[in-house]
Amino acid sequence: MRNKIKNHLKTIELFLKGSGFYRGVVLTVAIVLPLAVFNLIDLFAYAPAIALGTFLNAPSDVPGSLRRKINGILISIILTMLVTFIILLTKPVFVILLIAIAVLSFAVSLISAYGFRASLISFSGLLAIVLGLAVSKPDFQSIILHVGLIGVGGLWYLVVSLVSNWVFPRKDDDQLLSDTLSLTGEYLKIRAKLLTKPNKREKYAKKALVLQTQISEKHETLRELLLEGRKRSGRSFSNERRLLIFISLIDIFELALANTLDYTKIDTLFGLEKKHLNTFKKLNKELGNHLIKLSELFIKKGNLPDIELLNKIAADTETAIQDYVTEVTLPKAREGAITMRNLQDYQKQLFQEVKVIRRVLTKVKNNAKASLKPLESKQFLTSQDYRLNILVQHFSLKSPMLRHALRLACAIVFGFLLGSALDLKNAYWIILTIIVIMRPNYGLTKERSKNRIIGTIIGAIIATTIIVITKNTTVYLVLAIVSLTFAFSLIQQSYKVGAAFITLHIVFVYALIDPDAFTVVQYRVIDTVIGAIIAVIANYLLFPSWEYKNLDTVLATVITSNSNYLKATKKLYHNKEENTLAYKVSRKEAFLAMSNLNAAFQRLTQDPKSKQKESALIYEMVTLNHTILSAIASIGRYILNHSTTPASEEFDTIIEGITGTLLHSASQLESTKTVLVSEENKIYQAHKKLQKRYDNLSLKRDSDIEAGQTIIDDNTLLNLQEAHLINNQLLWLKSLSANLTKTTVKYKSVFS
């Protein structure tokens, strides 16, 4: 019980000190301050429009480079002013207003085609439609004044945002690094469970895919924040420290991904008990826990966690290997022992990266790993294309983005017509609910609808209870401000809780204006339920975009990225100095492509069961691509971190064969010209030669043991490890790529 309370208190502390709560406080201050100041100088009539402008233009203020932040908010200001002006201008004539709502909602939602930040600017534009309907301006002059004040509110928020960023310049960086450390720690713990729990592998593998997607998304944002910031403000000790930690996190992620073992082989070598692997599992778990503890130091002050337990478990892995060899005996134990050695080697590298993060957190100046040149760092940034052509490409009913825009426009128009026909009080809340809830994906829309309704009901019950208990307007005012802060802080972390606080805020604001707050509660709940139902039904019936129909391009991109990554790994084996940068860039592209596929599969699982067509086959495609990526990462990681023998012709031959097979699968998905695959016999002979080299090394080692040389020298061990890993991973990759081709043929036959 005491530990639970302690953990809850720690969670609350981390939340209150995190960037989410800070952002909520900043936005609350930005909204409340103009209201208070204009009230003091008897110009309160101008304040609500400024507060609306502040609220409307806050969504686009998300972590990223300063240039993109400023540009995003400025574009948002222009858009919200234009949308508000059109809505207010057309409001007197119902039919024209209806046309304006339809056209604006469609056009504004299409802006999302330009990426994540653009989707938030689009959201601001859609909100402007709702808030335009919420106000009434009798003449052109008052419309111009209202629109102008909204622009002033947007500029005011931009100033507040820049000042808050100046006061705490690294709040977003630290929060993102903390979140990424924590997610990476959870990922290592999942990988530990995969090692020894064969009956639950599919369950844990799916959890690992979700975590991989979340980690990759954090990496992308951190690249923009840290590398763009470095270009803008130059190198500083503070920037370099964060960049060092980020680089270590990427290395840890690659290491974990590279250690996706052939579990069928593991089960064969070690049996069902796997007692000899328990120490390795324990070390992975403790490394994960250690990263989670380190993540907390970015948010709150504290001492570094004790490392003694990690040191002890790391030392125990050597004992585990010796015990296995003693029990099974050589040469029978060689295959298992080398597998354990490779696992130990991977965990040593993991441990080293954890130690690097610890050293950086103690502010030790060691920036050797952060010596990226500006031109090199640019290659790691994913640039967003803002050409008009991007939008034109989406003008097809095959585009999920266009289908979503049409669906949203229809739902908004229907919601507005229904609210007007029923003469509901504040019927624009129906539209607000549709805008906030509706997403391109049916499953996410359904989930948000449920959370929105539950959150609204909870908020309504709490607000009603408080209004019954007290009639004190000062209490209402304080609670309105506090609930606004928590609503902004929690809406991203927990939509249900955020919706509850939004409802609390709205009810208390109305309670300050209108004594009959119970009517507001009643209509708030009714309008929310109606809006949520419309959103879910529209997603199911209007231009539905089921995920299984959109997977061809995503799958083809992953396969092509994996092929490019494998080619870069081949070049790395030949010359590390010249090809390391190109290898890392291709690695980044492959990881991002895999993350997009993982996300697509997650969306598929959220679709209705009847629309999850051949989900088992698609999951097989996802896992095959993921395993191929992991096997490539395993080879690349080994080459990067070890002195290796020169790459052989046989290695090149096999790589060319595998890349050819992968590109053949990609061409089938894209229905393009078939890629020629290397001769099977040539690849078979190359594999035989590689296997023979490993067998010769093994025989030589057997001779040494017979001659009494039981302790293996480092050079022989490294050669055995290299031959074992390269040969086995290439065999595995060849088998995986062949399986992928067969699965792709089956996939195309089902979905063509």
Side-chain angles (χ1 to χ4, degrees), residues 611-643:
K611 304 300 179 183
Q612 292 180 28
K613 192 175 177 184
E614 295 289 342
S615 59
L617 177 62
I618 293 169
Y619 180 64
E620 187 180 352
M621 293 279 283
V622 173
T623 51
L624 275 170
N625 280 291
H626 174 263
T627 312
I628 287 168
L629 175 64
S630 300
I632 299 167
S634 179
I635 297 171
R637 195 71 215 176
Y638 186 88
I639 294 167
L640 273 178
N641 289 282
H642 295 85
S643 296

Side-chain angles (χ1 to χ4, degrees), residues 276-469:
H276 298 291
L277 296 177
N278 283 335
T279 306
F280 296 94
K281 173 189 171 183
K282 190 176 179 183
L283 181 56
N284 241 45
K285 182 183 173 184
E286 286 305 319
L287 284 166
N289 285 330
H290 201 82
L291 285 177
I292 292 167
K293 288 173 186 173
L294 290 175
S295 73
E296 296 169 4
L297 300 182
F298 281 92
I299 309 300
K300 64 186 185 75
K301 290 181 181 179
N303 298 319
L304 287 172
D306 187 33
I307 202 171
E308 285 308 308
L309 179 60
L310 278 175
N311 284 327
K312 181 183 180 303
I313 301 171
D316 288 344
T317 58
E318 184 63 36
T319 308
I321 296 171
Q322 296 302 330
D323 288 347
Y324 173 76
V325 172
T326 302
E327 184 176 316
V328 181
T329 70
L330 291 167
K332 185 182 175 184
R334 178 167 294 118
E335 189 82 3
I338 292 175
T339 300
M340 292 171 82
R341 284 283 175 205
N342 286 332
L343 189 54
Q344 183 190 46
D345 189 47
Y346 144 73
Q347 291 187 327
K348 280 181 180 177
Q349 292 174 60
L350 270 184
F351 200 2
Q352 282 303 116
E353 296 299 340
V354 171
K355 286 177 179 176
V356 168
I357 295 172
R358 285 176 62 91
R359 280 200 302 274
V360 175
L361 286 171
T362 56
K363 301 187 180 179
V364 173
K365 291 193 177 185
N366 176 15
N367 61 0
K369 283 177 71 177
S371 56
L372 277 174
K373 296 172 186 174
L375 286 174
E376 291 178 347
S377 64
K378 191 176 180 181
Q379 294 184 58
F380 289 96
L381 294 170
T382 306
S383 58
Q384 176 64 53
D385 191 348
Y386 292 105
R387 291 177 301 171
L388 183 62
N389 186 45
I390 298 297
L391 209 58
V392 173
Q393 288 173 7
H394 284 281
F395 274 89
S396 163
L397 277 176
K398 290 181 179 179
S399 165
M401 194 64 67
L402 184 87
R403 296 167 81 89
H404 172 64
L406 286 169
R407 189 186 310 125
L408 183 64
C410 291
I412 288 172
V413 168
F414 179 78
F416 181 66
L417 283 170
L418 184 65
S420 301
L422 297 176
D423 197 25
L424 293 173
K425 186 177 182 181
N426 303 323
Y428 55 84
W429 278 345
I430 295 174
I431 304 176
L432 177 63
T433 302
I434 292 169
I435 287 168
V436 170
I437 284 174
M438 189 173 278
R439 291 293 179 268
N441 168 248
Y442 170 82
L444 187 56
T445 300
K446 184 180 175 183
E447 184 67 20
R448 286 173 73 89
S449 297
K450 183 179 73 175
N451 288 335
R452 179 83 177 185
I453 291 170
I454 293 170
T456 300
I457 292 171
I458 291 170
I461 291 170
I462 294 170
T464 303
T465 305
I466 292 170
I467 291 169
V468 167
I469 292 171

Side-chain angles (χ1 to χ4, degrees), residues 561-619:
S561 298
N562 279 343
S563 178
N564 293 336
Y565 184 24
L566 187 55
K567 288 175 186 174
T569 305
K570 184 184 83 169
K571 290 178 181 177
L572 183 75
Y573 205 177
H574 281 277
N575 191 322
K576 274 189 242 188
E577 289 185 9
E578 288 183 9
N579 298 309
T580 297
L581 179 63
Y583 166 82
K584 289 184 176 179
V585 172
S586 67
R587 175 185 70 182
K588 174 213 144 187
E589 296 299 331
F591 280 21
L592 280 178
M594 192 65 227
S595 173
N596 290 335
L597 178 57
N598 290 343
F601 180 71
Q602 292 308 312
R603 292 193 296 271
L604 174 76
T605 60
Q606 293 171 337
D607 283 344
K609 293 289 183 185
S610 61
K611 304 300 179 183
Q612 292 180 28
K613 192 175 177 184
E614 295 289 342
S615 59
L617 177 62
I618 293 169
Y619 180 64

Side-chain angles (χ1 to χ4, degrees), residues 23 239 275 392 413 488 576:
R23 197 177 287 275
N239 285 346
K275 61 180 180 181
V392 173
V413 168
F488 292 147
K576 274 189 242 188

Side-chain angles (χ1 to χ4, degrees), residues 663-720:
L663 291 175
H664 176 65
S665 297
S667 69
Q668 287 180 309
L669 288 164
E670 295 175 323
S671 301
T672 56
K673 189 177 178 182
T674 304
V675 177
L676 291 174
V677 182
S678 300
E679 292 178 26
E680 188 66 31
N681 186 56
K682 194 177 175 184
I683 298 168
Y684 174 72
Q685 293 300 326
H687 267 300
K688 275 184 73 175
K689 285 184 182 179
L690 282 184
Q691 183 64 46
K692 191 173 180 181
R693 282 176 196 164
Y694 172 68
D695 290 341
N696 288 339
L697 286 168
S698 296
L699 287 170
K700 185 178 180 302
R701 178 60 192 143
D702 289 342
S703 300
D704 290 342
I705 293 169
E706 285 176 14
Q709 192 180 331
T710 53
I711 298 173
I712 191 169
D713 63 276
D714 290 343
N715 193 47
T716 303
L717 177 60
L718 283 172
N719 286 339
L720 268 169

Side-chain angles (χ1 to χ4, degrees), residues 29-70:
V29 169
I31 290 172
V32 172
L33 198 57
L35 295 170
V37 170
F38 276 71
N39 186 52
L40 285 173
I41 59 175
D42 292 328
L43 293 172
F44 187 77
Y46 301 111
I50 294 174
L52 277 181
T54 304
F55 172 74
L56 274 175
N57 294 288
S60 61
D61 183 16
V62 290
S65 70
L66 186 64
R67 177 176 58 85
R68 291 185 185 181
K69 179 196 285 266
I70 293 171

Side-chain angles (χ1 to χ4, degrees), residues 243-278:
L243 189 56
L244 270 170
I245 292 170
F246 175 51
I247 291 170
S248 285
L249 282 169
I250 289 176
D251 286 342
I252 289 171
F253 185 50
E254 186 195 27
L255 278 164
L257 202 62
N259 196 52
T260 300
L261 302 164
D262 185 343
Y263 292 113
T264 305
K265 192 169 184 180
I266 290 287
D267 294 341
T268 303
L269 283 171
F270 298 98
L272 294 175
E273 291 185 11
K274 298 184 183 62
K275 61 180 180 181
H276 298 291
L277 296 177
N278 283 335

